[in-house]
Amino acid sequence: MSNPTLCSLLPFERAYVCGLLQLPKPSVLSMAAEGLLPHSPSYTLRQFSQPCLAVPAHFLPRISAILKGRVYLSFDFMLQKRSSECIEGVDQYYSNSQKRILMGHQYASSAFLTPYVSHDLLPFQLELHISKALEYSQQTQTQPPPENGIYYPYLKPIERLIAHLKHARDLGVACVGVVADAEFTTKENLNLCRAANLELIGRIKKSMVMNYQGEKKQIRHMAELFPFKSCSHYKTVGWRARSSIVSIEGLDQPLVKIVLIWRKNRSEWIPFFLLSTNIETTTGEIISSTLAIDRGAECGSSCQN
């Protein structure tokens, strides 16, 4: 195949490479050996290293017109199940929804969210999250670098999240923070987020230890202190909630806001917990933003399909 201009072939090339991921070929080099690549292996590696879906610069005025008020970036991972480990980039991942380990490709999905203003999400970026199985970096390779020095290194999940936020801010979208799931609310990740000057709102595991009114207790203890009848009712979502400012040891800035949520599941009230690194954020805004976690996954699925 000849080498047409990037602007004319870029959408096709990315779709083509994503299609190659579904073939039972162990690597990009083996695909090249069988003549499956429209360009050199190093050119295809460059396509892997770029986002599958990103907001072009000429959409920025439209984004600015839509986004009003405080803007958050909703971030989540999606798993595209695969049936074979021989496919390029397939790795094993734990599925929280199915409570078991599955094989597949993992995608990082992000979208813009404006609490109180709109219940809709504005898709921002969808990209293949490079796993250890797919990593190609200076640290993992002993041979000379590929043509033009193209690598696609592995990033930790929190590093991928911060990269999406940095990209948004570089494009001029003044995101105040990120809304994410419980895997991002570990002590290490909370410190990294604060170092990156971003507010993190997300679910938090009930086993984390907090310092509340001078006593060390697991966060689950809040459900015993505040039964659902004693919590404020948020009619728009049907939840009952109560917030408290607590300290967590091991954080560079220990004060955080914990929100106890009671959600009715059929006839039973079930508690879960949210966290915000900004103690000034209102409980209503935390609740409104957290609803984006599930909507963000749906948004990413629609983009992928």
Side-chain angles (χ1 to χ4, degrees):
M1 182 181 291
S2 60
N3 282 319
T5 60
L6 269 179
C7 61
S8 64
L9 257 193
L10 191 57
F12 162 75
E13 289 164 347
R14 293 190 181 179
Y16 186 91
V17 170
C18 288
L20 291 177
L21 286 172
Q22 303 184 46
L23 298 176
K25 305 298 177 185
S27 68
V28 171
L29 296 179
S30 66
M31 297 177 194
E34 297 192 21
L36 295 174
L37 301 183
H39 301 284
S40 66
S42 62
Y43 185 87
T44 303
L45 295 181
R46 183 161 69 251
Q47 298 307 308
F48 274 126
S49 69
Q50 297 178 7
C52 299
L53 172 67
V55 177
H58 64 273
F59 281 159
L60 290 180
R62 295 174 59 185
I63 291 176
S64 300
I66 295 172
L67 298 176
K68 303 295 182 182
R70 288 166 59 84
V71 180
Y72 288 88
L73 190 70
S74 171
F75 185 90
D76 199 5
F77 284 113
M78 303 180 309
L79 181 62
Q80 175 63 55
K81 292 191 294 183
R82 304 298 185 195
S83 58
S84 172
E85 291 183 337
C86 296
I87 304 174
E88 174 80 15
V90 165
D91 206 347
Q92 294 184 341
Y93 300 96
Y94 180 76
S95 171
N96 289 319
S97 59
Q98 300 189 30
K99 307 299 181 185
R100 62 190 180 97
I101 295 176
L102 300 173
M103 289 191 303
H105 291 118
Q106 193 175 50
Y107 288 84
S109 168
S110 59
F112 296 120
L113 161 75
T114 51
Y116 298 126
V117 176
S118 173
H119 295 294
D120 297 325
L121 292 173
L122 182 62
F124 175 55
Q125 194 165 329
L126 178 69
E127 63 177 333
L128 180 68
H129 180 59
I130 304 301
S131 69
K132 280 290 185 182
L134 188 60
E135 180 179 20
Y136 192 93
S137 66
Q138 290 176 307
Q139 289 72 32
T140 61
Q141 303 300 320
T142 56
Q143 66 267 32
E147 182 183 345
N148 299 325
I150 300 299
Y151 293 103
Y152 46 97
Y154 167 76
L155 292 181
K156 294 179 180 179
I158 189 64
E159 293 173 331
R160 183 73 66 183
L161 179 153
I162 292 174
H164 276 225
L165 180 73
K166 183 178 183 301
H167 184 201
R169 288 177 171 174
D170 289 345
L171 291 175
V173 181
C175 294
V176 297
V178 177
V179 183
D181 217 335
E183 69 175 296
F184 295 99
T185 55
T186 64
K187 293 180 181 180
E188 178 185 3
N189 289 344
L190 292 175
N191 282 330
L192 287 173
C193 288
R194 278 183 160 150
N197 192 30
L198 68 91
E199 175 185 355
L200 180 64
I201 295 176
R203 301 179 190 270
I204 188 169
K205 294 182 178 179
K206 57 188 177 183
S207 59
M208 183 174 282
V209 176
M210 63 178 181
N211 190 325
Y212 180 70
Q213 295 183 346
E215 295 184 23
K216 291 184 179 180
K217 297 181 181 292
Q218 289 188 335
I219 286 178
R220 71 174 81 237
H221 184 68
M222 289 185 65
E224 301 174 10
L225 293 175
F226 307 112
F228 74 92
K229 290 185 178 179
S230 67
C231 299
S232 301
H233 186 210
Y234 288 78
K235 296 181 180 179
T236 55
V237 293
W239 295 351
R240 291 182 176 270
R242 177 158 183 154
S243 63
S244 300
I245 297 175
V246 306
S247 64
I248 297 178
E249 292 185 1
L251 298 186
D252 297 335
Q253 301 177 39
L255 290 182
V256 297
K257 176 174 282 189
I258 301 295
V259 181
L260 162 65
I261 301 291
W262 288 97
R263 179 171 55 187
K264 194 170 186 179
N265 183 11
R266 297 182 180 177
S267 60
E268 184 179 6
W269 287 88
I270 306 295
F272 69 94
F273 303 90
L274 305 176
L275 174 145
S276 172
T277 55
N278 183 357
I279 62 175
E280 301 297 330
T281 303
T282 65
T283 301
E285 184 165 322
I286 294 172
I287 291 174
S288 179
S289 301
T290 305
L291 290 174
I293 293 178
D294 295 331
R295 293 203 306 268
E298 295 173 0
C299 173
S301 297
S302 64
C303 289
Q304 182 183 357
N305 295 332

